[in-house]
Each structure stands twice: as C-alpha cells, then as structure tokens.
Amino acid sequence: MKNRILVVDDNPDLREVISIFLSGEGYDVVTASDGPEALAIVDDTIDLIILDVMMPGMSGYKVCAQLRENTMAPVLFLTAKTQDSDKAMGFSSGGDDYLSKPFSYNELLARVKALLRRYYVYNGKNKELDKYITVYDLLINTEFNEVKKGENEIILTDIEYRILLLLASHKKKIFSPQNIYESIWDEPYFYSANNTVMVHIRKLRTKIEDNPQSPKYVKTVWGKGYRVE
C-alpha cells in the first residue's frame, strides 16, 4: 500500500509541484490550501504531513498543535524562517522536522523517506524490544505504541514517544543530548540541536510527570544528559 502524504500550503503552485513530484515517487498525495481544510482532511490514513508555517488566518504552528489531537503522523514544516527560536516553536507545537525554503526536491524526498522510515520502525517493528516496559506506574506498550499512566492513556507525538522509548529501554543509562539527537533524528549533531532535544524533553515531561519541575520518570543528570531509572 502506498504511503499517504498530506501537503498543506497556501501557495497553489508550490502545492501542485510538490504533489506531482511526490506522486511520481510513488506516494499517494492529498492537498489542503489552509489549516481548517487540513484539519478536516486528516485521519488515520495519513502517514506524513508536509505543513507550511506562514499561512494566512491560521499559522502552521497552530495547525500542528490541533493536528496532534487527532494524529501522531510525523509533521515536516516548510518555512522561510531559519532562526533557532522558530525551529524551537515548531518542535514545541508537535513538529518532527524542519525544511527551510528554498529547498531542493531531492532534499525534500530524503526528509520524507527518513521520517516515514523512523515512524514505521517505531510502530512496533522492533522485535528486540519487550512488549511492555514499565517505569514506576508508567506502562509502555511497544507493540501498539501506547503509553499509560495508571488507567489513563497519555498521547505523545512520534518524537516524544521515541525519546521515552529510547530512555526507558536502557534504564539507568545516561544519554547525552548528542546521543538522543543522533539516535532519534538520525542526523549528525550540531550545537543548536541541544535546544531541540531540551524542547522535546520539556514537552514530554509536561505530559508524563506529576510535577515537571521535579521529574520522577525522565531525570536530568547535570552536565551529562538524561536517564530513566
């Protein structure tokens, strides 16, 4: 079955070019011209979302935050903004990767393939993992990518889930920001990537911790990194 990709951009020419290009690479592509249309389209058949940041009416960040209520499919932001603060905002809203305009279509294709590969590798494909991993009262079901705290399911983004799974699968091991970034993003580490990791750890803690300021599950080892005990 073809992977289904949703392309959201208010520029009809760019939307059409991306659609034609990805269709030619064997993907099933659907498009939306703005946030509300994208929110109406997205469902569990969508495997990846390519989302423009600068759209009139509803920014890509706001769209992404609302998309996360219905889907954990990876989100690739397209934007002319390249400041680290803009990237941090994108990751905070639930995005998984960032591609700056102008971009080559080979680069776009490489990002699409990497996101889809990582998404499906962590969708219960890793047979070496135990089916259930527990951290105190936190239960990770690796077969169905579910995280529960007591009887309550916790909804995590793809990146947040993979960070938690990485740490929980290697209890007591300290992972530096570089270890985490290169393991999760599958890219060489660069200095500002440290902020990217910190943003996702903070978002993860707001969802799983009773008190994110005094974390019980994902602990900081000062000067070294993070670990799960």
Side-chain angles (χ1 to χ4, degrees):
M1 181 180 293
K2 293 182 179 180
N3 288 124
R4 197 163 191 236
I5 298 175
L6 171 61
V7 178
V8 189
D9 198 298
D10 63 311
N11 184 327
D13 293 332
L14 182 59
R15 206 165 59 236
E16 182 179 10
V17 170
I18 292 176
S19 179
I20 292 172
F21 174 73
L22 292 178
S23 295
E25 293 293 329
Y27 297 102
D28 179 17
V29 182
V30 292
T31 64
S33 60
D34 56 27
E37 186 180 358
L39 293 169
I41 289 174
V42 75
D43 57 23
D44 59 7
T45 69
I46 300 295
D47 299 298
L48 173 71
I49 300 160
I50 298 175
L51 180 59
D52 185 34
V53 170
M54 301 297 290
M55 294 187 294
M58 190 177 192
S59 74
Y61 300 140
K62 291 182 179 179
V63 175
C64 185
Q66 291 195 31
L67 284 170
R68 283 292 172 240
E69 297 176 7
N70 299 308
T71 180
M72 290 297 108
V75 172
L76 172 62
F77 279 118
L78 299 181
T79 183
K81 293 187 174 184
T82 57
Q83 297 283 335
D84 286 343
S85 59
D86 296 315
K87 293 184 178 182
M89 186 178 296
F91 291 132
S92 294
S93 67
D96 297 281
D97 203 355
Y98 225 91
L99 186 57
S100 299
K101 297 178 181 178
F103 54 84
S104 73
Y105 289 100
N106 285 335
E107 185 179 10
L108 172 64
L109 181 61
R111 299 293 182 95
V112 165
K113 288 182 175 179
L115 283 170
L116 287 171
R117 182 174 63 250
R118 295 203 301 264
Y119 184 51
Y120 281 102
V121 163
Y122 284 88
N123 262 339
K125 302 297 184 182
N126 191 339
K127 301 302 182 183
E128 296 180 358
L129 290 175
D130 292 333
K131 181 176 179 181
Y132 296 105
I133 299 174
T134 58
V135 184
Y136 298 108
D137 58 340
L138 208 63
L139 177 67
I140 305 170
N141 184 330
T142 64
E143 183 176 5
F144 297 107
N145 294 345
E146 292 178 346
V147 178
K148 288 188 175 182
K149 187 176 181 180
E151 296 299 318
N152 299 317
E153 183 175 359
I154 299 174
I155 304 300
L156 302 178
T157 68
D158 179 51
I159 291 287
E160 291 162 0
Y161 174 79
R162 289 192 281 120
I163 290 174
L164 177 61
L165 183 61
L166 176 68
L167 298 177
S169 301
H170 303 83
K171 291 180 180 178
K172 299 186 182 301
K173 180 177 178 178
I174 300 172
F175 285 84
S176 69
Q178 180 173 350
N179 295 152
I180 294 173
Y181 187 83
E182 292 182 346
S183 297
I184 300 302
W185 279 265
D186 196 23
E187 294 178 359
Y189 178 81
F190 56 98
Y191 180 74
S192 61
N194 187 59
N195 291 331
T196 298
V197 173
M198 288 177 61
V199 166
H200 283 86
I201 292 287
R202 185 165 62 245
K203 293 287 287 184
L204 173 62
R205 282 173 169 164
T206 62
K207 295 181 179 181
I208 66 174
E209 301 284 357
D210 292 328
N211 180 4
Q213 303 304 316
S214 180
K216 170 183 176 181
Y217 306 103
V218 178
K219 294 184 174 292
T220 299
V221 182
W222 295 110
K224 294 184 178 180
Y226 305 92
R227 73 178 176 194
V228 163
E229 302 201 347

